[in-house]
Amino acid sequence: AKLKSFAAKIIQLLKEWTETFPYDFQDEKSMKELKEIAHRITQCDEENGTVKKIISQMTQNLLMALSARSQYQEIREKFRQPVTDKGTILKTKTQSTQKDILSVCCDPLVLAQQLTYIELERVSNIYPEDLMQIVSHMDSLDNHKCRGDVTKTYNLEAYDNWFNCLSMLVATEICRVVKKKQRTRMVEFFIDVARECFNIGNFNSMMAII
């Protein structure tokens, strides 16, 4: 009875650990240790197999989380690769093919909604371990030697880069317009977009536009 009670607590601990910090189990050594602990726990409840089912589901969820984050990281790495000179690309295009943002989307509400979708996608990929990474870097300044290597997830960096990209997009769209009247119209459009972002509750995009 004591073993079953203890096993239930260990299962709860492992379940919360794998869900909150799945990157702790991405290397083979950690995964091997997890499987060994799981094997010992299942021996405490061999009669009905309930523990085995719970651990099997936990392991499956962990592998799915690691796979999803790995795919997201691969996509991000493709975007991180350097591109050719953007100025040269713009010069090779004719003026008629260089569309401004108003020709793509002239409704401030629609653009604000699309920016919010992007914000939510970036935020959904920020996990507690990303915040722990910052704390670990701060601790390393104090020469703490009892920590393992910190996993670089780059999700906070991606969110920060998105903020900068949006700011640069707004500045570029305004500055590339030659006529003052059209430039004024572009400024007013982005003011309306920022207002709609505020109404939605997307304060990050609003600040990037400002």
Coordinates of all heavy atoms in Angstrom, one line a residue, residues 7 10 19 27 40 46 59 68 72 91 93 133 150 167 174:
A7 N 4.2 5.5 -5.5 CA 4.2 5.5 -6.9 C 3.3 6.6 -7.5 O 3.7 7.2 -8.5 CB 3.8 4.1 -7.4
I10 N 5.1 9.9 -7.4 CA 6.2 9.9 -8.4 C 5.6 10.1 -9.8 O 6.1 10.9 -10.6 CB 7.0 8.6 -8.4 CG1 7.8 8.5 -7.0 CG2 8.0 8.6 -9.5 CD1 8.9 9.6 -6.9
E19 N 5.4 17.6 -18.8 CA 4.6 18.6 -19.5 C 5.1 20.0 -19.4 O 5.0 20.8 -20.4 CB 3.2 18.5 -18.8 CG 2.4 17.3 -19.1 CD 1.1 17.3 -18.4 OE1 0.8 18.2 -17.6 OE2 0.3 16.3 -18.6
D27 N 17.7 14.5 -24.5 CA 18.8 13.7 -24.8 C 18.6 12.3 -24.4 O 17.7 12.0 -23.6 CB 20.1 14.3 -24.1 CG 19.9 14.3 -22.6 OD1 19.4 15.4 -22.1 OD2 20.3 13.4 -21.9
R40 N 10.3 0.8 -13.0 CA 10.3 0.4 -11.6 C 8.9 0.7 -11.0 O 8.4 -0.1 -10.1 CB 11.3 1.2 -10.8 CG 12.7 0.8 -11.1 CD 13.7 1.5 -10.2 NE 15.1 1.1 -10.5 CZ 16.1 1.5 -9.7 NH1 15.9 2.3 -8.6 NH2 17.4 1.1 -10.1
E46 N 1.3 -4.2 -10.9 CA 1.3 -5.1 -12.0 C -0.1 -5.7 -12.1 O -0.4 -6.3 -13.2 CB 2.3 -6.2 -11.8 CG 3.8 -5.6 -12.0 CD 4.8 -6.7 -11.9 OE1 4.5 -7.7 -11.3 OE2 5.9 -6.5 -12.4
T59 N 4.5 9.2 -21.7 CA 5.7 9.1 -22.6 C 5.3 9.5 -24.0 O 6.0 10.2 -24.7 CB 6.2 7.6 -22.6 OG1 6.5 7.2 -21.2 CG2 7.5 7.5 -23.4
A68 N 7.1 18.1 -31.9 CA 6.5 19.4 -32.4 C 7.5 20.5 -32.2 O 7.6 21.4 -33.1 CB 5.2 19.7 -31.6
Y72 N 9.2 22.9 -35.2 CA 9.2 24.3 -35.1 C 10.6 24.9 -35.2 O 10.8 26.0 -35.8 CB 8.5 24.8 -33.8 CG 8.4 26.3 -33.7 CD1 7.5 27.0 -34.4 CD2 9.1 26.9 -32.7 CE1 7.4 28.4 -34.3 CE2 9.0 28.3 -32.6 CZ 8.1 29.0 -33.3 OH 8.0 30.4 -33.2
K91 N 15.8 46.6 -56.3 CA 16.2 47.4 -57.5 C 15.9 46.6 -58.8 O 15.6 47.3 -59.8 CB 17.7 47.7 -57.4 CG 18.0 48.7 -56.4 CD 19.5 48.9 -56.3 CE 19.9 49.9 -55.1 NZ 21.4 50.1 -55.0
K93 N 13.4 44.7 -59.3 CA 11.9 44.7 -59.6 C 11.5 46.1 -60.1 O 12.0 47.1 -59.7 CB 11.2 44.4 -58.3 CG 11.3 43.0 -57.8 CD 10.4 42.8 -56.6 CE 10.5 41.3 -56.1 NZ 9.6 41.1 -54.9
Q133 N 16.0 29.6 -19.1 CA 17.3 29.8 -19.8 C 17.9 31.1 -19.4 O 19.1 31.2 -19.2 CB 17.0 29.7 -21.3 CG 18.3 29.8 -22.1 CD 18.1 29.8 -23.6 OE1 17.0 29.3 -24.0 NE2 19.0 30.3 -24.3
V150 N 22.8 24.4 -20.9 CA 21.5 25.0 -21.0 C 21.1 24.8 -22.5 O 21.8 25.0 -23.4 CB 21.5 26.5 -20.7 CG1 20.1 27.1 -20.9 CG2 22.0 26.7 -19.3
S167 N 8.3 46.5 -36.7 CA 8.7 48.0 -36.6 C 9.3 48.4 -37.9 O 9.1 49.5 -38.5 CB 9.6 48.2 -35.4 OG 9.0 48.0 -34.2
I174 N 6.2 53.3 -44.9 CA 6.0 54.8 -44.8 C 7.1 55.5 -45.6 O 6.8 56.4 -46.5 CB 6.0 55.3 -43.4 CG1 4.8 54.7 -42.6 CG2 6.0 56.8 -43.3 CD1 4.8 55.0 -41.2

